[in-house]
Amino acid sequence: MYIKEVRRLDRVIIRFAGDSGDGMQLTGDRFTAETASFGNDLATLPNFPAEIRAPAGTLPGVSSYQLHFADHDILTPGDAPDVLVAMNPAALRANIGDLPRGAEVIVNTDEFTGRAIRKAGYATSPLEDGSLDGYRLHPVPLTTLTVEALKEFDLSRKEAERSKNMFALGLLSWMYHRSTEGTEKFLKSKFAKRPDIAAANIAALRAGWNFGETTEDFAVSYQVAPAATAFPTGTYRSVSGNLALSYGLVVASRQADLPLYLGSYPITPASDILHELSKHKNFGVRTFQAEDEIAGIGAALGAAFGGSLAVTTTSGPGVALKSEAIGLAVSLELPLLIFDIQRGGPSTGLPTKTEQADLLQAMYGRNGEAPVPVLAARTPADCFDAAIEAARIALTYRTPVFLLSDGYLANGSEPWRIPEPDELPDLHVRFAQGPNHTLPDGTEVFWPYKRDPHTLARPWAIPGTPGLEHRIGGIEKQDGTGNISYDPANHDFMVRTRQAKIDGIDVPDLEVDGPDEAKTLVLGWGSTYGPITAAVRRLRRAGQPVAQAHLRHLNPFPRDLGIVLRRYERVVVPEMNLGQLATLVRAKYLVDVRSVTQVNGMPFKEEQLAHTLEAIIHDH
C-alpha cells in the first residue's frame, strides 16, 4: 500500500479565489472555523467585490478569502499565499501576482475554456503556455469531479456544480489535516429545510477529501500543530470584528443593567452588527432598521433619553449624515455609542475595501465646538473590549462616543478567549431620583445640568420620573437649570465645560513595548496593530532596536503621550490614510512625526512595512 508523505509546517497561508458566486467566502469561513477548533492561531482577510453580482468570469467579479494559520502567535493574514485555489481563469489572473515562486496552485481546469480565458484577459491558456512553470501546479477538474460525485442525487447539473466549493474545501481539509465534522454539522443546519441539498454538499465535501487521499497528484499532506503556547488558558472561539463588537455591546448592556437599543441603517461593512444583534432579543436587545441614517441615530438618541444603552452603527458616508444628530447628543449630554466601521472613500468610494480615513471626521466633523471621545479597536477580538470601554466612557461621562473599526477588522477573524464573568467591569448607572439643588429660598428643585464634580457628567433623568421634568433640545442651555440661554458668558462657559469633560476622561497611560536603547518609536492606531507589530518584530530579529506603542484612545490622548514621544529621536506613524493621526500629533505635541501612508483598500503588508521602517531608521 502506498503511504503518502506528511510534512510538518509551522505556518501556512491559503487563499481561496473564484467568481463572486462560487462561495469562496463560505469556503474560507468554514476552513477557518475548523482551524480555530483545532487550536491554531489564525488571521483572515476576506476580499470581495462591491457589486452585488459583478459579471461572471471577469476580474472585477473575483472574490477571495485568505487564511494564515500557525502553531505560534501570528498577527496578520500573511503577505503572500503558500497555496492558491483558483476556481476560474479570472481568479488565477487576479491573484497569481501575489504568490511567491514555488507556491502551490490548484486550478479548476473545467473553467479554463477558450471564452473564459479570453474574458480574463489571457491571450493563451496559462495552463499550457508555460507561464506557471515556476509554481507547483495541480490541475483538477473540480466541476466534473463534483458532478460525478453527486450523480446519485436528484439534482440538475447546475445545482450539482454549486457544490464544487465544498469539494475544494474537502481537498484542502485533507491536505492540511483539518476536520470536516463541524462543516457537516453546519451544512445540516444551514440546509435543514432542504436535506437533499445538505446531503449533496456533504457528499461533495467527502469526495474532495477522498480525492486528496487517493490521487497521485497530491503526494504530500501537511500538519500544522496547535498553537499551544500562544494562548493563555481559557475557552476560545473564532470571531470576526463585527461579531466581537456585537457581543461586546450585549455584555455592556448586561453589566450596566440597561436594555440595549440599536438604531441603524444598513451599510457595508457595518451591517453585520445589525444582523447579529437582531438575534438576541432574549438579552433585552432591541434593533430598529431605520429608513435612513438620520432616522437611525435619531431613534438611538431617543432611546438614550429613555434610559437605554443606545448605539448606532454605520460607515463613513453614514457618519456624515449623522453629524447634526451627534452634535445634538453633545448638547443634550446623553450617552450614545457611534460605531464607525470605516471603508474606502470619499463618497461611496470602495464599499468593500478597508481604510482608516475617518479619524478627522470623528474628531471634528460637526458644526460648532462639539467634542466627542474617540476610540479605536486594534484586532477583531479586541473589538469586544473596545465596545465595553466605549460603553464605560459614554455611561460615566454622559457623552456620545465614537468607536472606530474598519472593513479589515470587521470581516477578518482570529481566536478570542471568552472572558470569565468576574473579569468584566461593573457599568451600573445611577439615574436621577429626585431634586438635586436647593434654591436660595430653600426650595428643592431638579437641575438637569448640575454636574458631578469629578466627571462633569450631568444627571441622567428618565422621562416620566415625577419631579424631574426638564427641557431638551439643541439650543444652548443655561448652566445648571438647562433653560434656553443666549447669554454670551454662559455659552462660553458651557463650551469650555463640555470640552473639559472630554479632556478629563480617565484613560490608561500609553503602553510602550521596546528596548530602552531604541531611538525610533512606531506609533499606530486601529487595525494597523497587526502589520506594525509583525514588522517591528521582524526588525528586532534583524538587530534593530525599535519601540512600539499603539493608541486605543484618540480623544483624549493618554496623558503621558507627549512625554513618551519626546523620548525618541524619530516617531513614525503608519496609517491607512494620508496622515491623519500624524497631523493631530504634530499639532498637539509639536513633534516631527514621520508619516507612512497607504490608501489602496488593503492592509499593510508586513515585509513592505518593515523595509519602509528600516529605511526611515537609517535615514539620518
Side-chain angles (χ1 to χ4, degrees), residues 97 124 138 178 183 379 427 467 469 515 526 589:
T124 59
H138 301 281
R178 306 289 100 176
T183 298
T379 70
L427 301 178
E469 299 85 357
Y589 300 105

Side-chain angles (χ1 to χ4, degrees), residues 46-51 268-269 343-344 348-354 407-408 411 601:
N47 187 15
F48 38 85
E51 291 79 6
T268 301
R343 69 192 209 184
T348 309
L350 304 175
T352 61
K353 309 302 179 185
T354 196
Y408 172 38
N411 298 315

Side-chain angles (χ1 to χ4, degrees), residues 533-547:
T533 306
V536 166
R537 286 182 182 179
R538 179 185 286 238
L539 290 173
R540 289 177 184 166
R541 287 194 299 268
Q544 300 283 353
V546 181

Side-chain angles (χ1 to χ4, degrees), residues 272-331:
D272 286 340
I273 304 172
L274 171 62
H275 302 159
E276 180 61 33
L277 287 178
S278 68
K279 303 174 185 177
H280 297 292
K281 295 178 183 178
N282 56 314
F283 288 116
V285 179
R286 295 181 182 177
T287 54
F288 169 54
Q289 180 174 319
E291 64 268 30
D292 55 43
E293 295 280 6
I294 298 171
I297 191 172
L301 188 52
F305 179 60
S308 292
L309 176 60
V311 59
T312 189
T313 53
T314 189
S315 190
V319 173
L321 293 167
K322 296 177 190 289
S323 61
E324 184 180 4
I326 297 170
L328 177 59
V330 171
S331 176

Side-chain angles (χ1 to χ4, degrees), residues 26 30 34 153 166 169 180-203 205-206:
L26 175 62
R30 291 314 312 162
E34 299 293 1
F153 294 88
M166 288 296 106
L169 177 59
T180 59
E181 182 180 348
T183 298
E184 292 188 14
K185 289 181 180 178
F186 167 82
L187 292 169
K188 289 176 182 177
S189 173
K190 180 177 176 64
F191 298 108
K193 296 181 179 179
R194 291 288 308 273
D196 55 330
I197 299 297
N201 277 286
I202 291 171
L205 181 71
R206 293 175 178 173

Side-chain angles (χ1 to χ4, degrees), residues 155-163:
L155 300 173
S156 67
R157 181 180 175 86
K158 188 174 182 180
E159 287 177 319
E161 288 180 0
R162 288 180 184 152
S163 296

